[in-house]
Amino acid sequence: MKVEVNGIKIDCRDEGDGLPVIFIHAFPLNQTMWDDQVAGLRGTCRTITFDLRGFGRSGFANTPQSIEQMASDLRGLMQALGIDRALLVGLSMGGYISLSFYRNYPDCVRALVLADTRASADTQEARDRRIKAAEKAEREGSGAIADDMVPMLLGRSTLSARPDLISRTREMIEANSPAGIAAAQRAMAARRDSTDLLAAMNLPVLIIVGSEDSLTPVAEAETMHRAIRASRLQVIEGAGHLSNLERPREFDAALREFVEPLDPRG
Ligand code: MLT
């Protein structure tokens, strides 16, 4: 289904009833990375996935982009779907957007799942790397970005044993436009630090991380866990940065255990 938000068309899927659980995908992928979770939570809650602007089947405005803008798109999507409050599940870039959303619309967040992400902003070195990667996407196309990123996104166990997941991840990246990829890299480079939000968070938070995540390692998850009073930390053994794709059974079990006790009207 397509929904018009902030002047662009956002492609989303909305199924089931009960507590709305909205999934926010990683860079540079699309909403299909959540297919296993939608299936795993069927009958438990209402699940919503969507393609962020510039990714998948959503539209793209060729203007500078920001993480706040993507959080505003999410707010617009919720309004269009008649959702006042939702549980947000954000993985990596999806986590940056979830934290930005929480800063700007705290009353719209019922609970948070922060997977394979970090609250801190980029170092200058990481920013410079992103600007170079954005230029590379524009110069060499999405295939070159897939070459660089697949070995970093997936953990060593997956890389050595799951050619199907390597292909699936590659296909998601290659299906995105170089302009969409570049705009999101620049948005992430400019994102603000969200660390100041953590100590005052008074909502249920589940932090998930793959034991083989080299982009946002377990130590990052532990730092957030220490800072957020009401948080739970789940390390998924044998998964890399894309813990939900690499170990869906374990990821879904953690999610179900977190979602089920929450009052759908809360
Ligand atoms: C992601 O998975 O969304 C990216 O690795 C995030 C990032 O580059 O910081």
Side-chain angles (χ1 to χ4, degrees), residues 161-263:
R162 296 291 308 275
D164 57 318
L165 273 188
I166 295 175
S167 310
R168 187 172 159 199
T169 307
R170 235 201 122 78
E171 278 160 25
M172 280 192 266
I173 299 174
E174 284 179 340
N176 289 319
S177 70
I181 291 175
Q185 268 296 21
R186 294 189 176 107
M188 286 192 288
R191 77 184 188 279
R192 73 183 276 189
D193 196 308
S194 296
T195 310
D196 63 306
L197 294 174
L198 305 183
M201 274 186 178
N202 58 354
L203 75 172
V205 179
L206 170 63
I207 298 165
I208 300 180
V209 65
S211 66
E212 299 177 9
D213 185 341
S214 56
L215 289 175
T216 46
V218 173
E220 288 282 356
E222 287 171 344
T223 301
M224 287 195 294
H225 178 47
R226 275 194 300 273
I228 307 173
R229 215 168 351 117
S231 67
R232 193 189 298 174
L233 172 63
Q234 176 93 36
V235 179
I236 300 193
E237 292 304 322
H241 188 60
L242 301 181
S243 56
N244 72 308
L245 271 182
E246 297 177 58
R247 288 283 188 271
R249 218 159 351 120
E250 292 81 350
F251 194 99
D252 294 358
L255 213 49
R256 257 198 318 273
E257 198 185 312
F258 183 63
V259 169
E260 272 169 357
L262 297 174
D263 181 350

Side-chain angles (χ1 to χ4, degrees), residues 8 44 68 78 90 102 112 157 161 165 175 177 184 197 236 240 261:
I8 59 160
T44 306
E68 283 77 17
M78 286 171 68
Y102 179 73
L112 270 178
S157 302
L165 273 188
S177 70
L197 294 174
I236 300 193

Side-chain angles (χ1 to χ4, degrees), residues 62-84:
N62 217 349
T63 51
Q65 198 166 305
S66 66
I67 294 294
E68 283 77 17
Q69 166 98 76
M70 292 192 263
S72 160
D73 291 345
L74 170 57
R75 178 76 190 109
L77 177 67
M78 286 171 68
Q79 283 168 332
L81 298 177
I83 297 170
D84 295 329

Side-chain angles (χ1 to χ4, degrees), residues 26-27 91-94 96 130 149 153 185 188 215 241-242:
F27 170 88
L91 191 139
S92 198
M93 179 174 73
Y96 309 157
R130 284 194 198 281
M149 289 210 66
L153 290 169
Q185 268 296 21
M188 286 192 288
L215 289 175
H241 188 60
L242 301 181

